Amino acid sequence: MAEVRVLHCLHSLSWGGLEIYTVDLIKQLAQTGITQYVFSQEDSKATQELRRHGIEVLPFPEKKLSKLQATWRILQLVKSHRITHIHSHTRLDMWAGCFVRGLCKSSLRHIYSLYMNATPKRDLFHKWLFSHIDALCASSEDLLQEVQRNFPIAREKLHLVRYGRPLEALQPGLFPSKAQGLRQHYKVTNTQTVFGTLCRIDPGKGVRELVESLTHLSDSELAQTQLWIVGDPTLIGSNSEGQPLFEPASKELNDWIAQQQAHPRHGPHLHRIPFQKDYIPYLEALDVFVLASYKETYSLSVLDAMLMEKPVIGTNTGGTPEQIGSQQERGRTVPPHNAVALSEALRFYLTHPGQIPLQGQQARQWVLTHHSWSAPLAQFKKLYYTEE
């Protein structure tokens, strides 16, 4: 069997779900013995993490490359490192990968992992572009259906590759003292249910509607409720003094949440908590996880919450209904942009507390069945070693 040499392209300065998962995937693939390199920005968090785990990074020093610059750099790396496969992880990298694949023709294969939505792209140029993708992989059935509708790519090139998760690191009961300490810190009583979300403070995450849902609970229901929002506004850089700069809509939302915390009625039941690198104890401390995004392709935080035996309240768009289940056996789905519907979902668990452990156990079992690392690693190895 010919040697496989993969060049992963991760053209991003951000450090969110896409970047974290891509780094995790590359680390897991490295343990299978595949020769891998990563084309990424010199100062990015992804580059730092990859190097920390012994992955060879072939960096570019610029903050951002144009599509043509990226194409030229990748083409040079393909030649100098005898690359057999490009694996692109962002849209810009997909474009560059397609151009390089077109130049190298049959001597190179191109795999594209799509993590975000698939907006309509059916013009002649995109038909040419997608003809230079040998395999498009996504974790969500909904996203693959969207790709079929909106991308000019052959159906046989589409592959459902579920996300892998660290099953051993996400087990209920791993951090009982930390979880209990958090509940004590936030003065959770024995009669209260803690609902919480881990996400960017961003309008698209539905955080405003989630906070507004508290206003639709009765006084007695509110007395039984705490809502934890764990996360920070979207960071876009820093000023000349080194202070963080946030995306304006995210900063406005963050300021609004601070105002809501001062509200005499529901403010005492609302806690805004900064982003936590060590997030597992926070998941363990929750009773019910909530992700109110307007459209979530396929949430890693939902999977992690489920592994911690938490039922999930999510919106009925994107890949979230797949995760919660057609019979809502692992949580509740609600329409997006709807604070009243979110309050009704909160009310369901306040009035049916026995459903929390039952749905939580079903959620964990589903993730254990469908999201171990063994399946995606086997699928990617098969794609890498397929001769076409």
Side-chain angles (χ1 to χ4, degrees):
M1 184 178 293
E3 181 185 12
V4 166
R5 302 171 70 87
V6 181
L7 178 65
H8 293 276
C9 299
L10 181 59
H11 197 122
S12 174
L13 273 171
S14 301
W15 186 244
L18 184 158
E19 294 81 16
I20 293 170
Y21 181 74
T22 301
V23 169
D24 285 345
L25 172 63
I26 294 167
K27 285 157 47 180
Q28 292 287 332
L29 285 167
Q31 295 178 24
T32 70
I34 292 174
T35 301
Q36 298 181 110
Y37 306 92
V38 184
F39 178 65
S40 61
Q41 202 277 335
E42 176 66 56
D43 298 324
S44 69
K45 176 70 171 178
T47 292
Q48 296 171 20
E49 287 295 309
L50 289 161
R51 283 178 170 158
R52 193 164 66 87
H53 288 87
I55 308 296
E56 186 168 354
V57 179
L58 307 173
F60 56 91
E62 297 88 346
K63 292 297 181 183
K64 188 175 182 180
L65 299 176
S66 69
K67 294 181 179 71
L68 290 179
Q69 286 175 316
T71 298
W72 175 250
R73 300 282 181 87
I74 293 170
L75 181 60
Q76 297 307 302
L77 294 175
V78 166
K79 293 177 179 178
S80 63
H81 288 75
R82 296 178 289 113
I83 300 299
T84 61
H85 293 70
I86 292 175
H87 193 151
S88 55
H89 296 274
T90 72
R91 282 199 171 92
L92 188 150
D93 294 318
M94 179 273 287
W95 277 60
C98 288
F99 289 141
V100 174
R101 171 71 167 79
L103 292 169
C104 295
K105 298 187 175 10
S106 60
S107 63
L108 184 73
R109 286 178 56 78
H110 180 201
I111 295 168
Y112 176 35
S113 284
L114 178 64
Y115 303 104
M116 303 299 183
N117 59 323
T119 55
K121 303 288 183 184
R122 287 198 163 272
D123 53 88
L124 287 176
F125 173 72
H126 280 89
K127 185 175 182 180
W128 177 88
L129 200 68
F130 282 100
S131 71
H132 293 90
I133 294 175
D134 298 287
L136 186 153
C137 305
S139 187
S140 163
E141 293 175 357
D142 177 80
L143 182 54
L144 285 181
Q145 291 170 7
E146 196 173 273
V147 168
Q148 288 182 36
R149 291 192 301 270
N150 295 334
F151 287 176
I153 186 169
R155 182 172 298 187
E156 60 269 19
K157 293 184 177 182
L158 305 183
H159 301 268
L160 180 67
V161 182
R162 295 291 195 192
Y163 290 141
R165 301 310 294 145
L167 306 183
E168 300 78 13
L170 288 155
Q171 297 184 47
L174 277 182
F175 304 99
S177 59
K178 287 185 178 180
Q180 188 58 36
L182 287 169
R183 290 176 74 96
Q184 290 174 353
H185 176 76
Y186 292 106
K187 298 180 172 59
V188 180
T189 69
N190 292 333
T191 61
Q192 287 184 321
T193 299
V194 181
F195 300 89
T197 188
L198 278 68
C199 66
R200 285 181 294 108
I201 308 302
D202 180 270
K205 294 295 184 179
V207 178
R208 185 182 295 269
E209 290 84 354
L210 180 55
V211 173
E212 288 175 343
S213 71
L214 297 178
T215 67
H216 298 287
L217 297 177
S218 68
D219 288 345
S220 61
E221 291 166 342
L222 192 58
Q224 302 173 58
T225 303
Q226 282 207 22
L227 176 60
W228 297 3
I229 298 176
V230 183
D232 291 333
T234 303
L235 184 68
I236 58 174
S238 58
N239 62 20
S240 57
E241 286 79 36
Q243 298 172 325
L245 293 174
F246 300 106
E247 194 276 326
S250 292
K251 184 180 185 304
E252 185 277 329
L253 177 58
N254 193 56
D255 294 343
W256 177 82
I257 293 172
Q259 294 172 7
Q260 299 308 303
Q261 287 182 282
H263 194 283
R265 180 177 182 270
H266 58 258
H269 302 273
L270 172 64
H271 298 286
R272 158 76 172 81
I273 302 168
F275 168 80
Q276 301 292 318
K277 184 176 181 180
D278 184 18
Y279 66 94
I280 300 175
Y282 286 82
L283 286 178
E284 187 157 355
L286 302 179
D287 295 301
V288 178
F289 185 80
V290 188
L291 192 62
S293 299
Y294 297 161
K295 184 172 183 181
E296 195 74 28
T297 304
Y298 201 82
S299 170
L300 292 170
S301 61
V302 163
L303 297 179
D304 291 353
M306 287 181 166
L307 279 170
M308 298 302 291
E309 291 192 348
K310 310 302 173 184
V312 173
I313 298 171
T315 50
N316 57 5
T317 62
T320 304
E322 294 174 49
Q323 296 175 303
I324 291 177
S326 59
Q327 303 302 312
Q328 302 197 71
E329 60 268 29
R330 300 180 285 275
R332 308 284 291 179
T333 56
V334 299
H337 305 269
N338 196 320
V340 172
L342 282 166
S343 71
E344 291 171 351
L346 302 185
R347 187 176 294 115
F348 172 83
Y349 290 107
L350 294 174
T351 56
H352 299 83
Q355 287 295 306
I356 294 175
L358 176 62
Q359 291 189 343
Q361 291 164 11
Q362 292 175 163
R364 175 172 171 80
Q365 188 55 53
W366 180 78
V367 180
L368 289 175
T369 301
H370 295 281
H371 289 278
S372 71
W373 269 113
S374 59
L377 294 180
Q379 287 173 281
F380 280 123
K381 286 190 73 174
K382 183 177 180 180
L383 288 174
Y384 291 156
Y385 284 101
T386 295
E387 296 287 346
E388 289 184 6

